Amino acid sequence: MILIIGKKYKLNKVEKENLKKYQIKYIENISINNLKQYEDKVKIIVLNTQKNLSKEIVQYLTKLELKGIKYYTIEHFLENTLHKVYIPKDTGNINFLDEIKPYTKNQYFIKRIIDFTIAIPLGILTFPVMLYAAYRIKKESPEGPVIFKQKRVGLNGKEFICYKFRSMIPDAEKGKPQFASKDDPRVFKWGAIMRKTRIDELPQLWNVIKGDMHMIGPRPERKYWIDIFEKNIPYYNLRHIVKPGITGWAQVCYPYGSNEEDAYQKLMYDLYYIKNWSLWLEIKTIFKTIWVMVRGKGL
């Protein structure tokens, strides 16, 4: 059993699904009496509260630890178990910012080796697929261009031209920009297939080779949405201390986003990736991406 004490952070559906092998119990207030009720059942205690713990509570938690019961703050639980960095919605605690830094020179060098090792062979191998994709786009939606070009925000907040196969009807966005939805009516039949299999992202291999993007990193977003998110989501601009990617840790850990709360959740995964970057995490993201594509879930 996992005992979550407090309501500082509310687990979402994705997190509850990831923790379904555990029985989860929620209680609002931490007290020795509350802890004693679950002492024989609980395996993990999560301190999900903003209040400082009393000396008596700390001593009792230490005794429980000696019995093999682990306890974590919500910050450590999210990072160690769910692989995301907790981002407070207020700006009172900025200690976590100290460990989120750009890649070192060696890390950047390794990432560029990975970029070229994947992008060039993948571009050659999928060239027939890209030719077929262009044919189907012209057949199903002949009015618009094959390649869709759009400005996206990249490293240090600078914009670049991002390339994709067009999957929507021409002039899909009339008026202000809008998020794509799960079964978006603006997407034509072949466009839906491309989006699920990520064929529409293949032209971004050129962005990777050019150096606009990495194979793996936070997904690039439009300035329109960035401006909104930076006003409402603390530390959102931190994702721009590294180059964006075709796929990323947030994309393989969280479903397709269509609102501000989704952007907030994905930011936690993006910052986890930046903070904990390693060759193993890079490889893990690649394999999780392949698994998502094989299942036809899109990203």
Side-chain angles (χ1 to χ4, degrees), residues 106-294:
N106 286 340
Q107 289 173 335
Y108 179 77
F109 180 71
I110 293 170
K111 281 191 67 67
R112 286 305 281 164
I113 291 176
I114 294 170
D115 290 341
F116 288 118
T117 301
I118 296 176
I120 294 175
L122 186 60
I124 295 171
L125 288 172
T126 59
F127 186 68
V129 176
M130 288 191 268
L131 288 178
Y132 180 72
Y135 162 73
R136 286 292 298 271
I137 292 168
K138 274 300 179 185
K139 182 179 179 181
E140 292 189 18
S141 181
E143 297 84 6
V146 170
I147 300 294
F148 179 68
K149 301 176 184 179
Q150 191 177 67
K151 285 185 177 181
R152 298 289 177 105
V153 177
L155 180 65
N156 297 326
K158 296 179 180 178
E159 290 183 300
F160 67 97
I161 300 297
C162 186
Y163 304 99
K164 295 181 72 173
F165 280 125
R166 182 172 59 85
S167 59
M168 293 185 177
I169 59 174
D171 299 320
E173 288 187 327
K174 294 180 179 179
K176 68 178 183 179
Q178 54 185 298
F179 279 111
S181 56
K182 186 177 179 181
D183 297 309
D184 201 310
R186 300 172 297 169
V187 178
F188 52 86
K189 185 177 179 181
W190 172 246
I193 295 173
M194 289 195 296
R195 291 168 78 90
K196 285 185 177 180
T197 56
R198 300 216 68 193
I199 290 173
D200 64 322
E201 309 282 4
L202 286 174
Q204 288 173 39
L205 294 173
W206 178 238
N207 286 117
V208 173
I209 293 170
K210 283 175 60 185
D212 299 323
M213 300 171 64
H214 288 301
M215 286 300 303
I216 300 169
R219 284 293 293 152
E221 193 49 84
R222 284 181 286 177
K223 193 174 187 305
Y224 175 86
W225 296 116
I226 294 293
D227 290 342
I228 293 174
F229 295 154
E230 286 187 352
K231 289 178 182 177
N232 301 323
I233 303 175
Y235 320 111
Y236 191 81
N237 59 349
L238 276 177
R239 68 199 301 276
H240 300 134
I241 65 173
V242 299
K243 290 180 182 179
I246 293 180
T247 184
W249 187 243
Q251 276 60 49
V252 298
C253 292
Y254 193 84
Y256 194 88
S258 59
N259 55 51
E260 192 173 291
E261 176 60 23
D262 291 334
Y264 169 66
Q265 292 293 332
K266 287 196 169 189
L267 178 62
M268 296 191 205
Y269 290 106
D270 284 333
L271 296 189
Y272 174 89
Y273 173 81
I274 296 170
K275 176 182 176 181
N276 297 283
W277 187 90
S278 67
L279 183 58
W280 167 242
L281 184 57
E282 198 86 344
I283 294 169
K284 190 175 180 180
T285 307
I286 291 169
F287 278 101
K288 284 175 77 72
T289 299
I290 294 171
W291 176 241
V292 170
M293 291 171 62
V294 168

Side-chain angles (χ1 to χ4, degrees), residues 25-126:
K25 179 68 179 178
Y26 300 91
I27 57 176
E28 287 193 9
N29 300 312
I30 183 167
S31 69
I32 292 177
N33 287 336
N34 282 341
L35 293 173
K36 281 183 176 180
Q37 290 182 50
Y38 304 100
E39 185 175 330
D40 296 330
K41 301 176 182 178
V42 71
K43 293 183 178 179
I44 298 173
I45 297 172
V46 180
L47 305 174
N48 188 26
T49 177
Q50 293 178 329
K51 296 179 181 179
N52 293 326
L53 301 180
S54 67
K55 180 180 177 181
E56 291 76 15
I57 293 292
V58 173
Q59 289 174 339
Y60 191 77
L61 289 172
T62 303
K63 288 180 181 179
L64 292 181
E65 193 171 28
L66 295 175
K67 294 181 179 181
I69 300 172
K70 298 179 181 179
Y71 68 92
Y72 302 97
T73 62
I74 187 63
E75 292 84 354
H76 287 110
F77 180 73
L78 289 179
E79 187 160 345
N80 296 335
T81 306
L82 295 172
H83 311 299
K84 61 194 296 186
V85 170
Y86 173 72
I87 301 174
K89 289 195 174 181
D90 59 56
T91 55
N93 185 358
I94 60 173
N95 292 332
F96 75 98
L97 297 177
D98 292 340
E99 298 178 1
I100 299 173
K101 299 176 181 178
Y103 306 128
T104 65
K105 289 183 178 180
N106 286 340
Q107 289 173 335
Y108 179 77
F109 180 71
I110 293 170
K111 281 191 67 67
R112 286 305 281 164
I113 291 176
I114 294 170
D115 290 341
F116 288 118
T117 301
I118 296 176
I120 294 175
L122 186 60
I124 295 171
L125 288 172
T126 59

